[in-house]
Every structure is written in C-alpha cells, then in structure tokens.
Amino acid sequence: MNATGALGRYGEDLAARLLTEAGMTVLARNWRCGRTGEIDIVARDGDMVVVCEVKTRRAGQFEHPMAAITPTKAERLRRLAECWLEKSGGPPPGGVRIDLVGIVLPRRGAPRLEHARGVA
C-alpha cells in the first residue's frame, strides 16, 4: 500500500470509530459496485442506512476535506447507494442518508474530525 492508500485507510479507521461511538453500526467498508465505484463506509443509524464518504487530508494540503462533495461526486454516491439497496434487499424503513466525514491531520496533535450528515 502506498502512502496515499495508508492515509486513506487510517482516515477510514478513524471515521468508522467516530460513527460507532455515535451509536451507528458499521455494515461494510470499502464496498464496491462494479464500475460505479466504492462506498467507504456503509452504516446503520437506527432504521436508516448511511452511505459515508471519508476524506482525509494533511493540514495545509489541497482543499479542506469537507469541500470534497462536488455535484458529480454526490451523483456517484447516490448511484452507489441505489446499488447497495438493490443488492441488500431494498430500502430500510428509515431510508438512506449520505454523510461525509472529513479528517484533517495536523503536523502535531490529534486529528480533527468533522461529520456532516445528509450532504447529498
């Protein structure tokens, strides 16, 4: 695994822990749907399924991770959510929500995590 892959995996580990601590149950990680792409984390929040995109950045590099959901990315996440529902037996009673966990890793100190619900 290269440095970018390791950074992404570390961020996904932090995000999964954050979601679990918030009372969610992680159902899948790095779930793929053919050529459509990959869902970083699929979780259950009560009777709702949550498709969670995780973006990890080092402090001072590139854009802030919370700016990562472009209209194109949001549409891809919606298609991935549809694929998940199709393969897992249909929509849950509470529906589906798309969330983003943005993580900034400072040069020193603890990572900063931000969880935005319903971003797309």
mmCIF file of all heavy atoms in Angstrom, residues 40-63:
data_model
loop_
_atom_site.group_PDB
_atom_site.id
_atom_site.type_symbol
_atom_site.label_atom_id
_atom_site.label_comp_id
_atom_site.label_asym_id
_atom_site.label_seq_id
_atom_site.Cartn_x
_atom_site.Cartn_y
_atom_site.Cartn_z
ATOM 1 N N ASP A 40 -17.015 4.116 0.967
ATOM 2 C CA ASP A 40 -16.021 3.974 2.037
ATOM 3 C C ASP A 40 -16.600 3.218 3.221
ATOM 4 O O ASP A 40 -16.002 2.264 3.705
ATOM 5 C CB ASP A 40 -15.490 5.337 2.476
ATOM 6 C CG ASP A 40 -14.695 6.031 1.383
ATOM 7 O OD1 ASP A 40 -14.079 5.336 0.548
ATOM 8 O OD2 ASP A 40 -14.700 7.274 1.358
ATOM 9 N N ILE A 41 -17.758 3.675 3.708
ATOM 10 C CA ILE A 41 -18.404 3.032 4.859
ATOM 11 C C ILE A 41 -19.915 3.014 4.635
ATOM 12 O O ILE A 41 -20.498 4.031 4.252
ATOM 13 C CB ILE A 41 -18.101 3.776 6.183
ATOM 14 C CG1 ILE A 41 -16.597 3.783 6.477
ATOM 15 C CG2 ILE A 41 -18.873 3.166 7.352
ATOM 16 C CD1 ILE A 41 -16.194 4.642 7.663
ATOM 17 N N VAL A 42 -20.521 1.855 4.887
ATOM 18 C CA VAL A 42 -21.975 1.747 4.939
ATOM 19 C C VAL A 42 -22.309 1.448 6.390
ATOM 20 O O VAL A 42 -21.728 0.540 6.996
ATOM 21 C CB VAL A 42 -22.523 0.613 4.037
ATOM 22 C CG1 VAL A 42 -24.040 0.553 4.135
ATOM 23 C CG2 VAL A 42 -22.079 0.799 2.602
ATOM 24 N N ALA A 43 -23.208 2.227 6.957
ATOM 25 C CA ALA A 43 -23.554 2.062 8.373
ATOM 26 C C ALA A 43 -25.070 2.099 8.545
ATOM 27 O O ALA A 43 -25.803 2.516 7.646
ATOM 28 C CB ALA A 43 -22.904 3.159 9.215
ATOM 29 N N ARG A 44 -25.505 1.662 9.705
ATOM 30 C CA ARG A 44 -26.926 1.752 10.069
ATOM 31 C C ARG A 44 -27.027 2.740 11.235
ATOM 32 O O ARG A 44 -26.300 2.632 12.206
ATOM 33 C CB ARG A 44 -27.467 0.395 10.478
ATOM 34 C CG ARG A 44 -28.939 0.452 10.826
ATOM 35 C CD ARG A 44 -29.576 -0.900 10.959
ATOM 36 N NE ARG A 44 -29.643 -1.652 9.726
ATOM 37 C CZ ARG A 44 -30.543 -1.464 8.746
ATOM 38 N NH1 ARG A 44 -31.435 -0.510 8.880
ATOM 39 N NH2 ARG A 44 -30.559 -2.207 7.686
ATOM 40 N N ASP A 45 -27.926 3.701 11.075
ATOM 41 C CA ASP A 45 -28.199 4.689 12.115
ATOM 42 C C ASP A 45 -29.677 4.544 12.456
ATOM 43 O O ASP A 45 -30.537 5.103 11.775
ATOM 44 C CB ASP A 45 -27.876 6.092 11.611
ATOM 45 C CG ASP A 45 -27.999 7.156 12.688
ATOM 46 O OD1 ASP A 45 -28.208 6.802 13.869
ATOM 47 O OD2 ASP A 45 -27.890 8.353 12.364
ATOM 48 N N GLY A 46 -29.976 3.725 13.472
ATOM 49 C CA GLY A 46 -31.368 3.400 13.782
ATOM 50 C C GLY A 46 -31.934 2.561 12.649
ATOM 51 O O GLY A 46 -31.380 1.534 12.296
ATOM 52 N N ASP A 47 -33.011 3.040 12.021
ATOM 53 C CA ASP A 47 -33.600 2.293 10.910
ATOM 54 C C ASP A 47 -33.233 2.905 9.552
ATOM 55 O O ASP A 47 -33.877 2.663 8.552
ATOM 56 C CB ASP A 47 -35.122 2.194 11.062
ATOM 57 C CG ASP A 47 -35.813 3.552 11.032
ATOM 58 O OD1 ASP A 47 -35.118 4.590 11.021
ATOM 59 O OD2 ASP A 47 -37.058 3.576 11.033
ATOM 60 N N MET A 48 -32.144 3.676 9.537
ATOM 61 C CA MET A 48 -31.678 4.330 8.323
ATOM 62 C C MET A 48 -30.326 3.745 7.912
ATOM 63 O O MET A 48 -29.496 3.425 8.766
ATOM 64 C CB MET A 48 -31.528 5.835 8.585
ATOM 65 C CG MET A 48 -31.011 6.626 7.406
ATOM 66 S SD MET A 48 -30.964 8.399 7.772
ATOM 67 C CE MET A 48 -32.705 8.745 7.866
ATOM 68 N N VAL A 49 -30.113 3.614 6.606
ATOM 69 C CA VAL A 49 -28.801 3.235 6.085
ATOM 70 C C VAL A 49 -28.047 4.516 5.754
ATOM 71 O O VAL A 49 -28.609 5.444 5.160
ATOM 72 C CB VAL A 49 -28.925 2.336 4.831
ATOM 73 C CG1 VAL A 49 -27.591 2.211 4.113
ATOM 74 C CG2 VAL A 49 -29.432 0.960 5.223
ATOM 75 N N VAL A 50 -26.773 4.553 6.151
ATOM 76 C CA VAL A 50 -25.929 5.719 5.906
ATOM 77 C C VAL A 50 -24.776 5.312 4.989
ATOM 78 O O VAL A 50 -24.025 4.386 5.299
ATOM 79 C CB VAL A 50 -25.364 6.288 7.229
ATOM 80 C CG1 VAL A 50 -24.442 7.468 6.953
ATOM 81 C CG2 VAL A 50 -26.500 6.689 8.152
ATOM 82 N N VAL A 51 -24.682 5.985 3.854
ATOM 83 C CA VAL A 51 -23.554 5.832 2.943
ATOM 84 C C VAL A 51 -22.608 6.962 3.297
ATOM 85 O O VAL A 51 -22.973 8.135 3.220
ATOM 86 C CB VAL A 51 -24.022 5.930 1.473
ATOM 87 C CG1 VAL A 51 -22.838 6.024 0.535
ATOM 88 C CG2 VAL A 51 -24.915 4.747 1.127
ATOM 89 N N CYS A 52 -21.403 6.600 3.728
ATOM 90 C CA CYS A 52 -20.478 7.611 4.249
ATOM 91 C C CYS A 52 -19.210 7.699 3.410
ATOM 92 O O CYS A 52 -18.495 6.717 3.241
ATOM 93 C CB CYS A 52 -20.129 7.278 5.702
ATOM 94 S SG CYS A 52 -19.160 8.571 6.491
ATOM 95 N N GLU A 53 -18.958 8.881 2.901
ATOM 96 C CA GLU A 53 -17.724 9.186 2.188
ATOM 97 C C GLU A 53 -16.732 9.726 3.212
ATOM 98 O O GLU A 53 -17.085 10.537 4.068
ATOM 99 C CB GLU A 53 -18.000 10.235 1.105
ATOM 100 C CG GLU A 53 -16.805 10.663 0.320
ATOM 101 C CD GLU A 53 -16.345 9.636 -0.699
ATOM 102 O OE1 GLU A 53 -16.988 8.579 -0.869
ATOM 103 O OE2 GLU A 53 -15.305 9.897 -1.324
ATOM 104 N N VAL A 54 -15.493 9.274 3.133
ATOM 105 C CA VAL A 54 -14.454 9.715 4.065
ATOM 106 C C VAL A 54 -13.356 10.406 3.265
ATOM 107 O O VAL A 54 -12.856 9.854 2.282
ATOM 108 C CB VAL A 54 -13.857 8.518 4.849
ATOM 109 C CG1 VAL A 54 -12.780 9.001 5.809
ATOM 110 C CG2 VAL A 54 -14.950 7.763 5.595
ATOM 111 N N LYS A 55 -12.993 11.605 3.689
ATOM 112 C CA LYS A 55 -11.909 12.349 3.048
ATOM 113 C C LYS A 55 -10.906 12.749 4.113
ATOM 114 O O LYS A 55 -11.255 13.390 5.101
ATOM 115 C CB LYS A 55 -12.437 13.610 2.349
ATOM 116 C CG LYS A 55 -13.268 13.312 1.128
ATOM 117 C CD LYS A 55 -12.429 12.645 0.065
ATOM 118 C CE LYS A 55 -13.229 12.345 -1.172
ATOM 119 N NZ LYS A 55 -12.478 11.554 -2.126
ATOM 120 N N THR A 56 -9.658 12.357 3.901
ATOM 121 C CA THR A 56 -8.592 12.642 4.858
ATOM 122 C C THR A 56 -7.535 13.504 4.172
ATOM 123 O O THR A 56 -7.111 13.199 3.054
ATOM 124 C CB THR A 56 -7.941 11.324 5.344
ATOM 125 O OG1 THR A 56 -8.972 10.456 5.818
ATOM 126 C CG2 THR A 56 -6.935 11.586 6.448
ATOM 127 N N ARG A 57 -7.134 14.564 4.840
ATOM 128 C CA ARG A 57 -6.108 15.465 4.304
ATOM 129 C C ARG A 57 -5.107 15.800 5.402
ATOM 130 O O ARG A 57 -5.465 15.879 6.571
ATOM 131 C CB ARG A 57 -6.731 16.786 3.825
ATOM 132 C CG ARG A 57 -7.805 16.655 2.775
ATOM 133 C CD ARG A 57 -7.205 16.399 1.408
ATOM 134 N NE ARG A 57 -8.208 16.504 0.367
ATOM 135 C CZ ARG A 57 -8.905 15.489 -0.119
ATOM 136 N NH1 ARG A 57 -8.732 14.277 0.376
ATOM 137 N NH2 ARG A 57 -9.784 15.663 -1.086
ATOM 138 N N ARG A 58 -3.880 16.014 4.993
ATOM 139 C CA ARG A 58 -2.888 16.567 5.919
ATOM 140 C C ARG A 58 -3.121 18.074 5.974
ATOM 141 O O ARG A 58 -3.513 18.683 4.974
ATOM 142 C CB ARG A 58 -1.482 16.266 5.437
ATOM 143 C CG ARG A 58 -1.185 14.776 5.464
ATOM 144 C CD ARG A 58 0.300 14.512 5.300
ATOM 145 N NE ARG A 58 0.543 13.088 5.243
ATOM 146 C CZ ARG A 58 0.594 12.274 6.289
ATOM 147 N NH1 ARG A 58 0.397 12.768 7.491
ATOM 148 N NH2 ARG A 58 0.831 10.991 6.149
ATOM 149 N N ALA A 59 -2.902 18.674 7.135
ATOM 150 C CA ALA A 59 -3.117 20.114 7.309
ATOM 151 C C ALA A 59 -2.292 20.890 6.291
ATOM 152 O O ALA A 59 -1.127 20.582 6.056
ATOM 153 C CB ALA A 59 -2.741 20.531 8.726
ATOM 154 N N GLY A 60 -2.932 21.872 5.667
ATOM 155 C CA GLY A 60 -2.236 22.743 4.736
ATOM 156 C C GLY A 60 -2.137 22.206 3.323
ATOM 157 O O GLY A 60 -1.642 22.892 2.444
ATOM 158 N N GLN A 61 -2.594 20.992 3.076
ATOM 159 C CA GLN A 61 -2.505 20.435 1.728
ATOM 160 C C GLN A 61 -3.869 20.426 1.061
ATOM 161 O O GLN A 61 -4.857 20.010 1.651
ATOM 162 C CB GLN A 61 -1.979 19.001 1.763
ATOM 163 C CG GLN A 61 -0.522 18.900 2.124
ATOM 164 C CD GLN A 61 -0.034 17.465 2.000
ATOM 165 O OE1 GLN A 61 -0.801 16.532 1.955
ATOM 166 N NE2 GLN A 61 1.271 17.321 1.950
ATOM 167 N N PHE A 62 -3.910 20.881 -0.168
ATOM 168 C CA PHE A 62 -5.103 20.800 -1.003
ATOM 169 C C PHE A 62 -6.305 21.488 -0.354
ATOM 170 O O PHE A 62 -6.163 22.283 0.551
ATOM 171 C CB PHE A 62 -5.421 19.340 -1.352
ATOM 172 C CG PHE A 62 -4.232 18.608 -1.920
ATOM 173 C CD1 PHE A 62 -3.586 17.629 -1.193
ATOM 174 C CD2 PHE A 62 -3.750 18.925 -3.181
ATOM 175 C CE1 PHE A 62 -2.490 16.964 -1.706
ATOM 176 C CE2 PHE A 62 -2.652 18.262 -3.702
ATOM 177 C CZ PHE A 62 -2.026 17.285 -2.969
ATOM 178 N N GLU A 63 -7.483 21.145 -0.802
ATOM 179 C CA GLU A 63 -8.699 21.738 -0.264
ATOM 180 C C GLU A 63 -9.079 21.076 1.053
ATOM 181 O O GLU A 63 -8.624 19.985 1.365
ATOM 182 C CB GLU A 63 -9.841 21.587 -1.268
ATOM 183 C CG GLU A 63 -10.238 20.140 -1.489
ATOM 184 C CD GLU A 63 -11.297 19.964 -2.556
ATOM 185 O OE1 GLU A 63 -11.684 20.945 -3.198
ATOM 186 O OE2 GLU A 63 -11.731 18.830 -2.743
#
